[in-house]
Amino acid sequence: MDFGIKKMKKSIYKLLMLSVLVATSCQKDPLDIMPDGRLTLEQIFADEMMTAEYVNTIYDNINPYGTAYDYFTLLAGFSDEAHDNDFPQDMGRAPSRWYNGELRPNWNPLDIQFSTGSSNPETNGNYYRKNWAGIRQTNVFLENISGTPFANPQVKARLIAEVKVLRAFFYLELIKMYGGMPVVDRPFGGDYQFESLPRQSFQECVAFIKQNCDEAILEPYFPYRIVAEPERGRFTKAVAHAIRSQALLFAASPLWNETNNQTLWTEAAEASKNSLDALLANNYALHPEYEAYFDSRTDISANPADKETIFEIKPYRAHEFSHLMFRMHAIPTLGGDKAGASPSQELVDAYDMANGEPAILGYYDDDHLYPIINTASGYDEANPYEGRDPRFYATVWYNNAYYGEINGQPYYIQSYLGGADGISNISQRTGNGYYLRKFRDPAQLDPNTGTSRFKKYRLGELYLNYAEAANEAYGPTEEVYTAINAIRSRVGMPGLPSGLSKEEMRERIRRERRVELAFEEHRFWDVRRWKILSSTDKLTTGIEWTKTGSGFTGKRIVTGRRKSWTDNHLIFPIPLSELTLMPRWEQNPGWE
């Protein structure tokens, strides 16, 4: 497909200059009519239908997230919220290579596609190239759309707003991983000297993200919600709010705000508050049932039962999220191929008691084998799973937990030594005494009957974004309490105690994010933007239970030590093959 631009050698040159229009398998796809490449930009943007189809191809650059990390695992296993049971049984898998500290400028265990030259659309990867490709396509669209005739100008206005949000999305995903990048808002001409293209700061990129989201939010013909099934998976005004909120929170956080500039916190708080108010006014609300919410997919309607989801990832081909959760994050006696990502003891310890008190305040030792117990909480070390936050029971399968009826008989999780689900040195068994419950209805006994899908953005995150930013900007005000307690109230947890200091509130908000958003791809990035990676990611632990008569005794064990916790892991290295094409750029810190 010739867009009249000189072909450059590869990588960022191609990503910024060439078209990557991807023809789908549909026979009616208008881009299939000229497979020999004679279709030009002028032809595409002279036709309303082909212009709309061009927008559809931009979405192909969005990674599938969820269970799409090698080997069909979750990002949680690369953080301290889970132990991935591929380690140490399979040292060739991505989690094991991550634990082993194999991230390099020329090799990224989280990006097997790029490292191996693969382009499998069903797995995550090629982050650098795909995000740049998405940015380039959005720029091509926005540069050419003005002259396209539309029978309904409202459709045109909506598409422009939608593509601006797509551009903001690709930028945010890119800079979260690699730091500041060039701010590019139009296609380059064939004579552009890419060697002179400078990197810009994280803050400048976030300002551009905010600008795109602001403009999209102001567009009256851009909807807050998808209401027709054929449009499932398209971006909306609500997505613009979610991206803006997250981007400004990251910009204000310690990793990117080293001087603790309070203006950045204020801007983040104001934006999240504005977004919360707007979403609540447009029929968004927290789902009333936390556990059931993650077992289902969004219903498409002007007034859906699921009013919380902002953006849900569509499946790639046959690999439904629920199918892979059943097979790749399974209890061995109940089907599936492997145990996958097991909730860590550190995550379990983060859940409050049902009375609202934290159970575990920290650890006396570096190996987390001797917890600091909050004696006021009522936590019983011999019965650690009794009386906990309801979100614990919705997220974690633990030893002797009641699963439900199997073939008419009650089944209890047997993760004790020697039990049917017990700790064992095979990838089909837990290595730490736990299995993941979140995203899977216990009544699902067949991999093909699940309905859950991965939720990239949801309203609960915005409550937490606002609470964090507002506490940093203004201290623990009544509005901070209101936001955090809305999350807790949804599951019947008591509100936070009054009179907390700013520092105490910060710790409670971080704990709340950890349990509310567990396994939703937030913890991995949160510990980086907070710059606490070196205190969280050195190891994970579990409990080894032994059956003793009618009861059990347990001891804490280290299940995985890691080498991916040093400060250079806060920001990923730019792939070496990309960096060599940009001689003015410096590699990210610690990867020189």
Side-chain angles (χ1 to χ4, degrees), residues 194 341-342 363:
F194 287 90
S342 297
Y363 305 95

Side-chain angles (χ1 to χ4, degrees), residues 239-259:
V239 176
H241 280 290
I243 291 172
R244 186 180 68 178
S245 173
Q246 188 179 113
L248 289 172
L249 182 70
F250 270 68
S253 297
L255 180 61
W256 305 111
N257 182 16
E258 295 183 2
T259 63

